[in-house]
Amino acid sequence: MRRFFVVLRKELKEMLTWHTLVPILLIMVIYSFLGRTINQEQKKQAAPQPITVVDLDCSQTSEMLAGILTKANFKVTTVTEGVEGDIVRKVVSEKGSAVLVIPQGFETGIQAQHPQKVETYTIMRNFSMMGIQGTFRMEAALSAMNEYIGDMYIRSGAPGLDPAIVKHAISAQSFVTVGMTSAEGDPQEIVSLVMQQTMIIPIVLFLVIIMAAQMIAASIASEKENKTLETLLSTPVARGALVTAKMMASGIVALVSAAAYMVGMKSYMGSLIGSSAGTSGTAIQAIEKLGLVLDLRGYILLGLSVFAGIMVALSIAVILGAFAEDLKSVQILIMPLMMVVLLPYLITMFIDINTASPVLKWVIYAIPFSHPFLAAQFIFAHNFTMVVAGIIYQFALFFVLAAVAARIFSTDRILTMKLNTARRGSGLGGWTLQREGISLRIRRK
Amino acid sequence: MEQALIVENLKKSYGRFEALHGISFEVAPGEIFALIGPNGAGKTTALRIVATILQPTSGTVHVYGMDVQKDAARIREIISYLPEEAGAYKNLTGFGYLSFMAELFASDAAIQREYIQRASDITGLGERLRDKIGTYSKGMTRKLLLSRAVMTHPKLAVIDEPTSGLDVVAAIDIRESIRRTATEGMAVLLSSHNMLEIEYLSDRVAIIDKGTIHDVGTPQGLKDKYGKANLEEVFVQVVKQ
């Protein structure tokens, strides 16, 4: 039995290294951060949601309905006059999210037990999973109103009351507004159609970034491990040319990956638009009218953002690769980069960037990999300034990081920097980034 | 005649650790000069500085009159460096590797072809040059790399532990290749902790330990000076002093 424990202890010592513990700890930290952030966002969703009621009937019933909406956790602003289109545009400019139009003659119709139609405008600014929640608000509002009218009919006890009118006295003609354009269509159907176009982007992008970064870091590490790098550095090739050639090669491969992904996306979207089973023609017409289909400009911007993200990842990977002594250490060096890519991927999937707190918003914007994930959402929301700003930021960061990488290659740091995860004799654990003798030790407390 | 290599008071520190404490030596054209010493003596650091891939902390190194710090790019045109236990790109064939390296040095296609031909002749690998390097034995890879190092007619070849880890037959082949190419006028700076090998190969040796050169001379001159039968015994005597 004693021998069993000797072997067990040895196995655990081999398995529980920093190589295995760091990713576990990082994932734990990221998920806890993500959980807290999503929780805060959900609390925001639970707060009373603003709705503008355009009451063109100005009757007792329509006033009562506004009161019902307040009880159903809506923050109601009532407008009684004006042109419908102008009011919607005003609400859009005031960052509102929903408009309900009660037409003239509404009360008379209800009293005559005739089904009534209201118009609803869902203003879309976000196409993430959180954004889709906004589309349920109108359904909730309509349901609250129908319940009220239904109760009213039942209480009146009028003879020959049609059960259909008791259940559905009010139906909605739904419109979706993006920017200043409105189109008729079911908001949920439209959002899910848009999400189908974009949901594949983060997954493919995550894979491409990680693949490209691992390729270049492994290439540097294997050159160091096989000592082919030393040989190359002693040849008449300029150091700048060496690092540029390495980055360009990986960049070209990454560009081909990005292009392949864009072509695949286009074909995927084409088949989606062309033969969407279960998707109504109205919804397809609506996304086309609302500009929720990527056009050439959209593809170019999205492609540029994706490419810039890959180049940033490559330049970081070159710097990280310079620390690697062998292929095994590449895994641990690339891990922080993977986490930095994973974080905006998850955040942008679950959080509405428009309503996020300023601190969280800037944290997301500061992470260069957030921009390719956000690009599609911004393009659909016609916020091209943010897409272009993101691309400029990514390229600026790339040039800075590429300069740092070139500097490392032009000095002897490329051979002397290394990541040492071994424990020292003093019993201090932790990470050591060292240049044969110069140690930057982060002590574990 | 201009010296192939002049090293004067060369120091190299890694942070607070000083690997070389001010070493000096010279190598003449056509001479095989060896740094001998145990692992960690500073041999590789000295060779890497001469090969322009590390920068000295202080002191000077001149290769045919050119300074390693100021004229590194020009020096790389006339030297070649073979690191200890260096590998090659395993997915390339022997020919592919020689062609790639020759292209980095050659100014035109004719010279590139000449370099490849010379390397092929030196390796003695024949048809195996068409196979991927990943299939080579350690000895074959070393022969390929050595032929690569000398194919460009470098004026100075810097070779770190030329036969480390090789069997006797492969080691003898490598030594003979170095000897043969040196007779064509190429200066050679090499390092080894195999002192018997150095005794056979070198014209002059420098005994280095813990970053300091203790003595320099011909193998026979050093043996006579210390009254010892071989360089190993000389080394032990010198270091003890």
Side-chain angles (χ1 to χ4, degrees):
Chain A
M1 199 62 181
R2 189 184 61 82
R3 286 180 183 138
F4 164 76
F5 282 110
V6 170
V7 177
L8 179 69
R9 198 167 60 231
K10 173 240 160 201
E11 293 296 332
L12 283 173
K13 261 187 182 173
E14 272 186 11
M15 285 175 194
L16 291 175
T17 62
W18 285 103
H19 297 75
T20 50
L21 286 176
V22 167
I24 294 169
L25 290 173
L26 273 173
I27 285 169
M28 198 177 76
V29 169
I30 283 181
Y31 275 96
S32 127
F33 169 75
L34 203 64
R36 270 207 305 273
T37 315
I38 290 172
N39 191 22
Q40 279 169 3
E41 289 300 312
Q42 278 172 343
K43 276 181 189 160
K44 271 187 208 166
Q45 298 283 332
Q49 298 299 318
I51 187 167
T52 301
V53 175
V54 182
D55 186 0
L56 301 177
D57 195 41
C58 293
S59 62
Q60 203 182 353
T61 311
S62 64
E63 266 174 44
M64 282 300 290
L65 285 181
I68 289 300
L69 290 177
T70 309
K71 276 185 193 162
N73 205 24
F74 282 93
K75 192 178 160 194
V76 181
T77 309
T78 309
V79 180
T80 50
E81 54 189 27
V83 181
E84 202 176 300
D86 292 344
I87 294 167
V88 172
R89 276 190 284 277
K90 191 165 174 281
V91 173
V92 169
S93 65
E94 287 168 358
K95 311 275 179 210
S97 57
V99 178
L100 173 75
V101 183
I102 301 174
Q104 256 183 338
F106 179 80
E107 189 180 54
T108 319
I110 289 289
Q111 282 166 353
Q113 296 179 15
H114 291 151
Q116 291 300 299
K117 200 166 247 189
V118 293
E119 286 177 6
T120 63
Y121 290 84
T122 305
I123 299 159
M124 295 299 303
R125 292 192 184 83
N126 177 267
F127 298 91
S128 69
M129 279 171 87
M130 277 291 173
I132 205 165
Q133 287 197 358
T135 62
F136 295 120
R137 282 178 215 150
M138 279 304 183
E139 227 171 68
L142 202 64
S143 161
M145 292 192 303
N146 267 323
E147 204 173 322
Y148 170 75
I149 301 291
D151 288 352
M152 199 178 78
Y153 283 139
I154 291 166
R155 271 198 296 271
S156 70
L161 195 63
D162 180 5
I165 195 131
V166 174
K167 284 179 187 167
H168 298 290
I170 308 168
S171 61
Q173 188 180 8
S174 306
F175 293 88
V176 170
T177 308
V178 176
M180 290 295 168
T181 316
S182 298
E184 190 180 348
D186 176 31
Q188 279 174 44
E189 209 177 350
I190 287 172
V191 171
S192 73
L193 207 53
V194 172
M195 274 187 64
Q196 278 175 45
Q197 294 178 61
T198 57
M199 69 195 294
I200 199 168
I201 294 175
I203 301 159
V204 177
L205 187 59
F206 178 73
L207 292 175
V208 169
I209 285 180
I210 295 305
M211 189 188 78
Q214 262 180 344
M215 258 182 347
I216 193 160
S219 146
I220 294 169
S222 90
E223 289 243 28
K224 280 175 100 172
E225 193 175 6
N226 295 326
K227 300 213 178 165
T228 48
L229 185 62
E230 276 185 59
T231 309
L232 264 187
L233 293 174
S234 68
T235 63
V237 187
R239 303 287 170 89
L242 266 182
V243 71
T244 313
K246 269 196 181 299
M247 287 187 64
M248 201 172 272
S250 303
I252 289 168
V253 175
L255 187 64
V256 170
S257 315
Y261 138 76
M262 294 309 285
V263 170
M265 264 290 293
K266 201 169 183 325
S267 141
Y268 169 76
M269 274 181 55
S271 63
L272 193 78
I273 302 292
S275 62
S276 281
T279 307
S280 71
T282 327
I284 292 169
Q285 278 170 12
I287 66 163
E288 280 168 1
K289 188 183 173 191
L290 294 169
L292 299 178
V293 180
L294 283 179
D295 56 4
L296 185 65
R297 177 175 62 169
Y299 275 116
I300 290 172
L301 285 174
L302 191 57
L304 272 174
S305 187
V306 167
F307 180 62
I310 292 168
M311 293 313 283
V312 171
L314 283 178
S315 53
I316 294 173
V318 168
I319 296 168
L320 293 174
F323 281 100
E325 283 181 274
D326 48 38
L327 283 171
K328 196 181 168 193
S329 54
V330 167
Q331 296 304 321
I332 193 164
L333 281 160
I334 288 292
M335 191 56 73
L337 181 64
M338 283 177 75
M339 294 300 156
V340 173
V341 180
L342 189 66
L343 193 65
Y345 166 34
L346 295 174
I347 288 181
T348 53
M349 194 184 280
F350 292 107
I351 285 169
D352 179 359
I353 189 81
N354 301 303
T355 57
S357 69
V359 176
L360 181 63
K361 202 183 270 190
W362 284 108
V363 167
I364 294 171
Y365 287 153
I367 299 172
F369 310 112
S370 305
H371 299 278
F373 294 138
L374 289 169
Q377 286 186 31
F378 282 139
I379 290 168
F380 287 138
H382 301 180
N383 191 350
F384 294 107
T385 316
M386 280 309 295
V387 184
V388 173
I391 292 169
I392 292 170
Y393 168 65
Q394 287 180 96
F395 273 112
L397 196 64
F398 161 66
F399 285 119
V400 171
L401 292 167
V404 173
R407 177 77 191 139
I408 289 172
F409 265 75
S410 62
T411 62
D412 51 21
R413 284 189 183 89
I414 182 64
L415 292 177
T416 57
M417 287 198 312
K418 58 184 169 184
L419 175 75
N420 185 1
T421 56
R423 281 161 185 258
R424 288 277 169 89
S426 62
L428 290 169
W431 294 79
T432 313
L433 296 174
Q434 67 173 36
R435 294 179 52 196
E436 290 181 31
I438 306 172
S439 297
L440 301 167
R441 177 163 279 268
I442 304 152
R443 293 184 183 191
R444 280 187 305 160
K445 292 191 176 170
Chain B
M1 192 168 65
E2 187 181 37
Q3 290 288 47
L5 174 66
I6 302 171
V7 176
E8 285 178 310
N9 198 23
L10 176 63
K11 289 184 182 178
K12 176 65 183 176
S13 300
Y14 299 110
R16 277 173 291 180
F17 172 70
E18 195 171 72
L20 294 174
H21 305 301
I23 61 168
S24 303
F25 59 91
E26 294 181 0
V27 181
E31 183 182 28
I32 300 179
F33 186 91
L35 291 173
I36 60 170
N39 294 332
K43 304 185 300 288
T44 298
T45 296
L47 263 55
R48 281 174 163 183
I49 292 171
V50 173
T52 75
I53 60 174
L54 288 184
Q55 278 107 39
T57 305
S58 69
T60 59
V61 177
H62 286 93
V63 177
Y64 286 92
M66 293 179 284
D67 186 278
V68 284
Q69 285 184 283
K70 291 178 193 153
D71 307 306
R74 280 168 61 208
I75 290 175
R76 287 179 199 135
E77 301 274 356
I78 61 162
I79 65 161
S80 68
Y81 172 54
L82 181 54
E84 183 187 0
E85 293 186 352
Y89 304 104
K90 289 175 183 166
N91 287 327
L92 291 181
T93 63
F95 270 126
Y97 176 68
L98 292 174
S99 176
F100 164 67
M101 292 304 286
E103 205 168 358
L104 294 181
F105 283 90
S107 51
D108 61 53
I111 295 174
Q112 185 188 350
R113 278 196 298 276
E114 187 223 311
Y115 286 168
I116 298 168
Q117 187 56 53
R118 178 175 154 83
S120 317
D121 295 343
I122 295 170
T123 55
L125 291 176
E127 282 302 302
R128 287 303 308 271
L129 282 173
R130 297 187 191 284
D131 296 335
K132 287 204 171 172
I133 295 169
T135 65
Y136 289 9
S137 69
K138 205 170 177 181
M140 288 166 72
T141 307
R142 199 66 180 164
K143 277 182 196 169
L144 178 77
L145 292 174
L146 183 72
S147 67
R148 185 279 301 164
V150 298
M151 72 180 173
T152 57
H153 303 283
K155 292 172 95 175
L156 171 68
V158 182
I159 305 172
D160 198 358
E161 301 282 358
T163 61
S164 168
L166 297 187
D167 62 48
V168 179
V169 178
I172 289 172
D173 273 357
I174 295 282
R175 279 181 212 137
E176 281 177 355
S177 288
I178 294 172
R179 262 259 166 247
R180 228 178 9 253
T181 43
T183 54
E184 296 168 14
M186 175 184 77
V188 179
L189 171 66
L190 54 86
S191 82
S192 180
H193 59 267
N194 181 345
M195 296 177 201
L196 297 175
E197 166 183 291
I198 294 302
E199 198 173 331
Y200 162 78
L201 196 58
S202 331
D203 298 316
R204 283 193 309 134
V205 297
I207 297 172
I208 184 170
D209 186 39
K210 292 174 185 159
T212 304
I213 288 183
H214 293 276
D215 210 340
V216 180
T218 62
Q220 193 56 51
L222 287 171
K223 284 191 284 185
D224 292 346
K225 183 177 171 182
Y226 292 96
K228 298 293 179 189
N230 59 51
L231 275 181
E232 265 182 7
E233 290 176 11
V234 171
F235 177 79
V236 172
Q237 173 82 30
V238 170
V239 171
K240 271 186 183 171
Q241 280 177 2

